[in-house]
């Protein structure tokens, strides 16, 4: 009870600071306030396996970052881990004890020599010149060790011995007094006991990814030598004045905090920031100084779609320590209205549109900044304004957040806990607190980060019979709830002690833990996150995804999604088997229980299923899974966007699962691991359009549609007209009418309602569909459709779709004409070339192809118009036997 009371006190403080405006700092280079003497990423390393289960390994001339599994694959000592059944055949590498070794030279080493390790994954013993200097057991902690007594003039050797993560995890569970469950590793071909290690949880396996709990070095190692005072751990954060909570903030108090190593006397620093030059005194080892700023509205950092993400230069000059420390800063405020679960940025209420971001690769040394650029730019191109960094992966590196800052892309940042019960013994909790301190300190500067969240689905797993009913039985459930509260209290209080400038959400999903009533009394709100408060996760693979009665009425839906298959070309790149929906590699990589069965059931619910004797059966099944995913995601997302004006739990955010993928498998992603767009990614561009017409059915009366127009733009459309056409399946307009619907900037309008049962006969006979067009001064700005039934129950014309007139428009871009002999539905153009995965169609997954369309196709490399002849198309009528 005392712990609960403490948490209530902390949460009260949190809710008081949720309406705090803030300025945060972002960097355009690695976050170091002192210059290292040696950067070990620039030296060569040797990798060996000290304790072998398979074969001896000796690799030389290795550079960081590095994982033995990727080094072995590059040298072709082992096959590509992501091809075939590599996730199980190469599992032995996770049980090896690897040794990284590097020689370095020093000349007259100084009194204080510090080795800094920013990313060791995970369990290590570190030696310098055969002297043990320390151990690590948390890949998210930055470790520093004083090596002054063991380094020597001339040649030195640094050795890092990695223990097997699964082996250590099992040992810790065996020694723990009771079982701590996680999501079933057997169903996902994974390794157990991941919750006993502070290691990326997805590396043990997930329902969308392989199990590779391997070891390696994923971030830099540096040697520093310190003789005189030096500034370190610089943090800059500021709160706007309290009276500016709900308006554009203009007055900020900029706090500059940090530490002086070897502090011996007070000294002056000079700060250059936002047209000011200020002298400040550093008078203690742990310092906290301030600068007052008046900021013009046009200089605020704004999210994408609401303005420009303006960044400014910050420079601290310290002559006493011979340092110049520079940053790029952004001024903005953030509020999370807990009652409505709505983000308010710089006084502007927002509807959050986005997706969930998982790690880029199974291996932290196997992707580049170009990959980060592509994935974040893909999000912005699809009109997203928020990314949720999911709690089962990693805290992304500085470059990721720098790019989000520059793009104006908001970040929901989770602590790295997911779907697990967590040990609470002293050393583990101390490591967690150090992890939080290191990561919050590192990331606190970024204006893009607007929320800390404690974990993914840890809380929701404890409700009712729990996800782990065979272990967490009713007679012991209180023990696990108490453990969860211990982790939550420690995490929350630690984050709050470091950063009171942005909101903290205890778990996702959650109702929120407290209610503050009219008398000021705080009571607990422990309950299933059903949408009435807080955020919601929603997955339903059995119900009709187009029926809004099956969708949650929630203030904020932070996860929802449907699986689909990657392209046929992607499968052929990882397997030379005869591909079949229910066999071999397809079954092996389907980690979602009953996933392939559900996929087949879902496509049969909405579409005509190809004949089992069709020679292109598997290719067509792939297309239909993607069509189903796009249809279901569109239906849900538009329902959430359309509910912004609902009287009962209006919705203020939709983040779908998931943005990216790490391997070729059935997953929930809108893109393949190679970067190739699925149908969903093209659909996202439409259903997240800033100006969008949304017809959605009444949950209690499915034949009645509410028609909404939403405008996320900062410009008004005062001449906007909605044209409603009844279109027959032979392309004739049976009836048409228009409605004036002028709309202001950042406004949502309920335009009208229409009941299919009481309308045109053609809708009742399923011989026509509705087309809604937004027209402004003769320009069609948006189009959407309502179909009277599922496509399998409609008489779709047997269209002949062709690609003609290929034309070179630039060295890296072509155009061609897409046309059809009759109406064609869900037209998808396929380029089967493996080196064209990053090429993009200006439009694809065309819901209704009526008039000829000029399509642009752009690649990151030179292309020729002749490639159009190799492209193919699928559409719904082409699925028929």
């Amino acid at each position: 009870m005392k712990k609960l009371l403490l948490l209530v006190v902390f949460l009260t403080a949190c809710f008081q600071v949720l309406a705090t405006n803030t300025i945060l700092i972002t960097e355009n280079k690695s976050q170091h306030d002192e210059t290292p003497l040696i950067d070990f990423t620039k030296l060569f390393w040797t990798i060996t396996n000290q304790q072998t289960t398979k074969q001896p390994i000796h690799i030389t001339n290795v550079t960081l970052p590095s994982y033995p599994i990727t080094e072995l694959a590059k040298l072709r000592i082992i096959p590509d881990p992501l091809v075939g059944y590599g996730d199980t055949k190469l599992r032995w590498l996770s049980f090896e004890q690897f040794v990284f070794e590097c020689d370095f030279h020093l000349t007259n080493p100084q009194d204080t020599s510090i080795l800094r390790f920013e990313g060791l994954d995970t369990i290590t013993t570190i030696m310098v010149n055969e002297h043990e200097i320390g151990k690590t057991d948390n890949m998210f902690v930055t470790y520093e060790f004083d090596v002054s007594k063991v380094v020597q003039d001339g040649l030195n050797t640094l050795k890092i011995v990695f223990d097997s993560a699964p082996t250590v995890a099992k040992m810790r569970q065996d020694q723990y007094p009771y079982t701590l469950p996680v999501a079933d590793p057997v169903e996902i071909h994974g390794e157990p006991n991941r919750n006993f290690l502070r290691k990326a949880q997805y590396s043990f396996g997930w329902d969308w990814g392989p199990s590779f709990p391997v070891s390696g070095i994923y971030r830099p190692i540096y040697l520093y030598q310190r003789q005189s005072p030096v500034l370190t751990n610089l943090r800059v954060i500021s709160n706007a004045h309290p009276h500016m909570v709900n308006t554009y903030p203009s007055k900020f108090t900029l706090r500059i905090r940090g530490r002086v190593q070897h502090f011996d006397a007070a000294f002056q620093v000079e700060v250059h920031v936002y047209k000011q030059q200020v002298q400040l005194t550093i008078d203690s080892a742990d310092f906290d100084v301030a600068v007052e700023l008046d900021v013009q509205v046009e200089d605020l950092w704004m999210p994408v779609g609401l303005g420009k993400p303006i960044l400014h230069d910050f420079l601290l000059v310290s002559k006493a320590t011979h340092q110049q420390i520079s940053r790029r800063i952004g001024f903005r405020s953030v509020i999370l209205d807990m009652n409505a679960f709505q983000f308010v940025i710089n006084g502007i209420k927002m509807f959050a549109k986005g997706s969930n971001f998982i790690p880029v690769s199974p291996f932290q040394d196997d992707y580049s900044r170009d990959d980060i650029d592509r994935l974040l730019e893909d999000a912005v191109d699809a009109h997203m304004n928020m990314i949720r960094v999911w709690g089962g992966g990693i805290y992304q590196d500085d470059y990721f957040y720098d790019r989000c800052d520059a793009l104006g892309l908001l970040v929901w940042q989770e602590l790295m806990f997911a779907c697990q019960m967590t040990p609470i013994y002293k050393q583990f909790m101390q490591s967690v607190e150090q992890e939080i301190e290191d990561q919050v300190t590192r990331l606190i500067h970024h204006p893009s980060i607007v929320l800390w969240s404690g974990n993914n689905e840890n809380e929701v797993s404890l409700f009712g019979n729990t996800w782990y009913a065979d272990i967490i039985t009713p007679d012991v459930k209180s023990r696990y709830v108490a453990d969860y509260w211990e982790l939550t209290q420690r995490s929350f209080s630690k984050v709050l002690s470091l950063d009171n400038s942005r909101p903290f959400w205890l778990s996702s999903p959650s109702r929120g833990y407290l209610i503050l009533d009219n008398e000021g009394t705080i009571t607990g709100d422990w309950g299933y996150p059903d949408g009435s408060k807080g955020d919601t996760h929603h997955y339903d693979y059995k119900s009709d995804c187009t029926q809004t009665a099956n969708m949650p009425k929630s203030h904020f839906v932070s996860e929802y999604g449907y699986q689909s298959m990657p392209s046929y070309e992607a499968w052929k790149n990882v397997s030379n088997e005869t591909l079949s929906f229910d066999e071999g590699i397809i079954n092996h990589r389907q980690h979602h229980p009953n996933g392939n069965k559900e996929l087949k059931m879902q496509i049969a619910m909405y579409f005509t299923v190809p004949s089992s004797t069709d020679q292109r059966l598997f290719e067509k099944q792939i297309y239909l899974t993607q069509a189903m995913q796009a249809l279901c995601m569109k239906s849900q997302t538009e329902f959430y966007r359309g509910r912004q004006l609902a009287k009962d739990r209006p919705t203020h955010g939709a983040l779908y699962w998931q943005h990216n993928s790490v391997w070729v498998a059935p997953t929930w992603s809108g893109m393949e691991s190679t970067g190739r767009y699925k149908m969903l990614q093209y659909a996202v561009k439409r259903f997240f359009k800033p100006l969008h017409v949304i017809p959605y059915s009444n949950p209690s009366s499915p034949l009645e549609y509410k028609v909404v127009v939403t405008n996320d733009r900062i410009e008004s459309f005062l001449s906007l007209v909605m044209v409603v056409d009844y279109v027959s399946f032979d392309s004739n307009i049976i009836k048409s009418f228009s409605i004036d619907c002028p709309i202001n900037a950042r406004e949502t309008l309920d335009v009208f309602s229409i009941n299919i049962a009481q309308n045109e006969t053609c809708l009742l006979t399923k011989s026509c569909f509705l087309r809604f067009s937004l027209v402004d001064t003769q320009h069609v700005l948006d189009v959407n459709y309502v179909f009277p039934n599922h496509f399998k129950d409609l008489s779709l014309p047997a269209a002949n779709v062709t690609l003609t007139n290929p034309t070179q428009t630039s060295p890296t871009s072509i155009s061609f004409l897409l046309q059809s002999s009759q109406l064609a539905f869900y037209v998808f153009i396929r380029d089967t070339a493996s080196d064209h995965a990053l090429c993009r169609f200006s439009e694809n997954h065309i819901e209704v192809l009526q008039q000829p369309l000029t399509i642009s196709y752009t690649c990151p490399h030179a292309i020729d118009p002749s490639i159009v002849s190799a492209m193919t198309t699928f559409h719904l009528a082409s699925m028929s036997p």
Side-chain angles (χ1 to χ4, degrees):
M1 180 59 69
K2 288 183 178 179
K3 289 179 179 178
L4 181 56
L5 184 59
L6 280 172
L7 187 60
V8 168
V9 172
F10 281 126
L11 285 167
T12 304
C14 178
F15 284 0
Q16 289 171 347
V17 302
L18 289 181
T20 300
N21 293 305
T22 178
I23 170 191
L24 298 168
I25 305 305
T26 181
E27 304 188 2
N28 57 1
K29 59 181 181 180
S30 185
Q31 190 167 301
H32 299 292
D33 300 335
E34 57 181 319
T35 303
L37 179 69
I38 297 177
D39 178 351
F40 284 86
T41 66
K42 301 183 183 303
L43 302 181
F44 290 110
W45 293 70
T46 298
I47 300 176
T48 57
N49 54 341
Q50 185 165 293
Q51 175 183 326
T52 180
T53 59
K54 276 277 188 178
Q55 64 190 64
I57 292 169
H58 184 88
I59 311 172
T60 59
N61 297 323
V62 174
T63 57
L64 304 183
S66 175
Y67 280 69
I69 189 170
T70 54
E71 300 294 345
L72 291 167
K74 284 188 289 187
L75 294 171
R76 298 187 178 180
I77 297 173
I78 62 171
D80 187 332
L82 298 179
V83 170
Y85 298 85
D87 58 314
T88 52
K89 290 183 177 180
L90 298 175
R91 187 69 55 84
W92 62 273
L93 288 164
S94 300
F95 292 87
E96 292 291 297
Q97 187 180 65
F98 283 103
V99 180
F100 281 68
E101 197 165 342
C102 177
D103 291 335
F104 63 99
H105 292 264
L106 289 176
T107 303
N108 299 321
Q110 305 298 318
D111 293 340
T112 305
S113 296
I114 303 294
L115 267 175
R116 177 182 175 97
F117 301 85
E118 298 193 349
L120 298 178
D121 180 10
T122 296
I123 310 295
T124 76
T125 301
I126 305 171
M127 290 173 280
V128 173
N129 298 329
E130 297 303 322
H131 297 280
E132 182 178 320
I133 63 166
K135 295 178 180 290
T136 75
D137 69 348
N138 187 326
M139 74 177 286
F140 306 124
V141 166
T142 294
Y143 291 89
E144 287 192 352
F145 301 103
D146 188 335
V147 295
S148 306
K149 295 181 180 180
V150 297
V151 293
Q152 59 195 20
D153 187 37
L155 182 65
N156 295 265
T157 300
L158 171 61
K159 181 186 291 186
I160 306 171
V161 180
F162 286 86
D163 285 331
S164 160
T167 301
V168 173
K170 182 181 185 305
M171 178 189 67
R172 291 183 178 180
Q173 172 65 92
D174 290 344
Q175 294 173 351
Y176 206 67
Y178 50 92
T179 301
L180 292 180
V182 294
D184 190 350
V186 176
E187 291 181 334
I188 58 175
H189 311 303
E191 291 295 322
N193 309 312
R194 61 178 169 82
N195 45 346
F196 281 87
L197 291 185
R198 293 310 298 141
K199 174 177 171 66
Q201 297 292 281
Y202 84 106
S203 67
F204 286 76
W206 219 267
D207 54 7
W208 44 259
S211 176
F212 285 111
V214 291
S215 301
I217 302 172
Y218 77 106
R219 285 188 180 151
I221 300 171
Y222 299 103
L223 178 71
Y224 297 97
Q225 290 197 330
R226 297 167 180 161
Q227 278 185 308
S228 58
V230 60
L231 291 166
T232 62
N233 301 328
L234 192 72
R235 305 184 302 279
V236 184
I237 188 168
S238 171
N239 294 328
H241 291 197
H243 66 278
M244 296 184 171
V245 168
N246 291 309
T247 186
Y248 284 120
S250 60
K251 293 185 178 294
F252 293 84
T253 301
L254 185 66
R255 305 209 72 85
I256 305 166
R257 296 169 178 164
R259 182 168 299 157
V260 182
Q261 302 288 345
H262 306 294
F263 178 82
D264 54 10
F267 59 92
Q268 295 281 310
V269 296
E270 189 176 89
V271 172
H272 302 257
V273 57
Y274 195 67
K275 308 171 187 177
Q276 292 195 34
Q277 179 177 324
V278 182
Q279 295 286 334
L280 301 172
T281 300
I282 307 298
D283 56 8
S284 62
D286 292 304
F287 62 89
D288 184 346
V289 293
V291 177
E292 296 295 328
L293 295 172
D294 292 322
V295 179
Q296 299 297 314
V297 169
E298 61 267 22
D299 293 328
L300 294 175
W301 184 93
M302 298 294 289
V304 61
L306 294 182
K308 296 181 179 179
I310 302 295
L311 298 171
H312 306 272
D313 290 322
F314 170 94
L315 178 67
L316 184 147
V317 179
S318 170
K319 294 181 180 179
T321 62
H322 310 288
Q323 289 175 274
Q324 291 191 10
I325 302 172
S326 63
R327 303 284 194 265
R328 291 279 288 164
I329 70 171
F331 302 86
R332 64 103 176 94
S333 67
V334 55
I335 302 167
L336 180 57
D337 180 343
M338 288 295 180
N339 291 324
F341 210 91
Q342 183 171 30
F343 288 91
V344 183
I345 309 297
N346 295 331
I348 301 174
K349 295 180 179 181
M350 292 188 61
F351 186 95
K353 303 180 298 183
S355 59
N356 285 263
F357 195 94
I358 64 172
V360 179
S361 168
F363 315 114
Q364 302 311 315
D365 63 340
D366 194 35
Y367 63 93
S368 68
R369 288 186 170 186
D370 288 343
D371 295 316
I372 295 293
D373 285 338
R374 171 179 54 80
L375 288 169
L376 294 179
E377 288 165 7
D378 283 337
V380 172
D381 288 345
H383 311 296
M384 300 184 201
N385 56 30
M386 181 176 282
I387 284 285
R388 175 175 174 244
V389 178
W390 169 74
I394 65 168
Y395 304 94
Q396 296 292 326
D397 63 20
D398 294 331
Y399 184 76
F400 174 92
Y401 302 98
D402 288 341
R403 290 298 297 143
C404 289
D405 293 339
L407 292 167
L409 191 60
L410 302 175
V411 176
W412 169 317
Q413 177 64 51
E414 291 194 331
L415 305 183
M416 291 301 122
F417 300 90
C419 307
Q420 65 192 87
M421 298 293 101
T422 303
I424 59 168
Y425 61 87
K426 181 179 179 180
Q427 295 92 332
F428 189 90
M429 295 308 296
Q430 287 175 339
S431 179
V432 167
E433 289 185 328
Q434 187 61 55
E435 167 190 328
I436 293 171
E437 179 169 351
D438 286 355
Q439 296 300 331
V440 171
T441 297
R442 178 174 72 93
L443 301 178
I444 197 172
H445 314 293
H446 291 278
S448 55
I449 299 176
V450 293
L451 181 72
W452 298 113
S453 180
N455 61 75
N456 171 77
E457 295 183 349
N458 285 12
E459 176 187 325
V460 72
S461 70
L462 285 171
F463 291 116
N465 293 327
T466 84
W467 292 358
Y468 320 109
D470 56 333
I471 297 172
I472 305 180
T473 54
D475 57 317
V476 298
K477 182 176 177 179
S478 59
R479 168 198 291 168
Y480 293 94
V481 173
D483 286 356
Y484 174 72
W485 278 101
E486 178 71 13
L487 173 68
T488 301
Q489 176 186 327
R490 293 282 195 98
S491 301
F492 176 77
S493 59
K494 189 65 177 180
V495 171
L496 183 61
S497 70
L498 296 164
D499 183 10
N500 66 354
S501 67
R502 48 168 70 81
F504 183 94
W505 191 238
L506 293 181
S507 181
S508 179
S510 176
R511 289 167 58 92
Y513 289 81
L514 301 176
I515 300 173
L516 185 64
D517 65 20
N518 293 333
E519 286 72 29
T521 302
I522 299 175
T523 58
D525 188 26
W526 175 264
Y528 191 84
D530 59 359
S532 60
K533 299 172 184 176
D535 68 320
T536 303
H537 293 185
H538 178 69
Y539 296 97
D540 181 357
Y541 307 116
K542 296 180 180 179
S543 303
D544 187 335
C545 74
T546 66
Q547 294 300 307
T548 56
N550 300 323
M551 304 173 194
K553 295 179 180 179
S554 174
H555 290 299
F556 198 108
V557 189
S558 48
E559 279 193 29
Y560 61 101
Y562 294 84
Q563 279 196 332
S564 70
M565 290 281 181
S567 64
Y568 183 80
E569 295 71 42
W571 282 115
K572 294 304 293 182
N573 284 336
V574 299
S575 176
N576 55 13
E577 296 177 358
T578 299
L579 297 172
S580 174
F581 209 90
D582 299 309
E583 298 176 358
I585 192 75
I586 313 298
N587 266 353
H588 175 75
R589 295 196 175 200
Q590 174 56 276
H591 289 185
H592 174 55
N594 298 315
N596 287 347
K597 180 180 179 181
E598 289 174 349
L599 281 172
K600 294 177 79 171
M601 179 189 71
Q602 288 162 351
I603 62 178
M605 188 181 299
Y606 312 113
F607 307 118
T608 298
V609 177
S611 166
S612 60
T613 60
D614 193 314
Q615 293 185 352
R616 302 180 70 185
L617 175 62
F618 185 58
E619 291 181 72
K620 290 184 176 182
Q621 288 174 321
I622 289 173
Y623 162 81
L624 288 173
T625 67
Q626 293 195 17
M628 176 277 300
Q629 182 189 39
L631 169 68
C632 293
M633 296 298 284
K634 174 182 185 288
S635 299
Q636 267 199 68
T637 305
E638 293 187 339
F639 176 64
Y640 302 142
R641 289 191 76 187
R643 294 194 72 258
Q644 294 180 64
L645 297 179
K647 295 180 180 179
D648 178 21
R649 309 179 192 176
T651 305
H652 300 301
L655 308 179
Y656 69 84
W657 186 268
Q658 66 204 78
H659 186 55
N660 52 314
S661 184
V662 299
W663 72 332
V664 176
T667 75
W668 292 256
S669 67
M671 288 177 282
E672 298 175 6
S673 56
T674 60
R676 189 188 300 273
Y677 279 12
K678 296 182 181 178
M679 292 174 74
L680 172 60
Q681 191 65 21
Y682 288 104
V684 173
K685 287 188 173 185
R686 285 197 295 274
F687 62 62
F688 273 162
K689 283 182 70 173
L691 179 66
H692 194 37
V693 54
I694 301 171
Y696 69 92
S697 64
N698 184 336
S700 59
S701 179
L703 295 179
E704 180 182 331
Y705 280 78
K706 183 185 290 289
V707 182
V708 171
V709 176
T710 186
N711 180 23
D712 298 333
R713 296 182 184 272
I714 55 176
E715 60 180 308
S716 300
F717 295 87
L718 302 181
S719 302
L720 195 67
V721 175
M722 181 187 301
V723 179
V724 183
D725 297 318
Y726 295 72
V727 185
S728 68
F729 285 97
D730 57 6
S731 195
N732 292 318
I733 296 178
I734 298 172
K735 177 182 175 180
S736 181
F737 65 90
S738 62
I739 301 175
D740 291 338
C741 52
I743 190 167
N744 294 316
R746 303 191 307 276
E747 184 179 27
T748 297
L749 299 175
D750 282 338
V751 182
F752 74 106
S753 295
I754 185 170
N755 193 314
I756 290 180
Q758 301 171 359
N759 219 278
E760 288 295 317
T761 304
C762 68
L763 290 173
L764 300 177
T765 59
K766 306 173 189 176
S767 58
C768 71
F769 58 93
L770 290 172
R771 179 175 62 206
F772 302 85
S773 305
L774 294 182
V775 181
D776 184 67
T777 61
Q778 305 304 312
H779 297 287
V780 178
L781 303 182
D782 188 50
V783 179
N784 210 340
Y785 304 92
V786 166
F787 297 96
N789 213 317
H790 293 322
F791 285 106
K792 70 174 184 177
D793 298 320
L794 302 176
S795 298
L796 303 182
N800 178 32
V801 176
T802 58
L803 311 177
T804 59
N805 301 335
T807 305
Q808 191 88 48
T809 55
S810 79
T812 59
S813 181
I814 61 174
S815 68
F816 56 87
L817 194 65
L818 174 69
Q819 53 190 337
S820 177
S821 60
Q822 299 186 70
L823 286 181
F825 300 85
Y826 279 40
V827 178
F828 191 59
I829 313 164
R830 301 168 60 226
D831 181 356
T832 59
S834 60
D835 61 340
H836 290 177
L838 298 182
C839 301
R840 302 290 183 250
F841 294 98
S842 57
E843 285 187 76
N844 206 348
H845 171 46
I846 291 91
E847 286 185 272
V848 181
L849 178 61
Q850 184 173 15
Q851 301 296 328
L853 282 178
T854 298
I855 304 293
S856 297
Y857 191 54
T858 303
C859 294
H861 51 75
I863 54 174
D864 186 88
S866 61
I867 66 172
V868 173
S869 63
M871 293 180 182
T872 60
T873 62
F874 276 143
H875 56 92
L876 292 181
S878 66
M879 297 298 104
S880 300

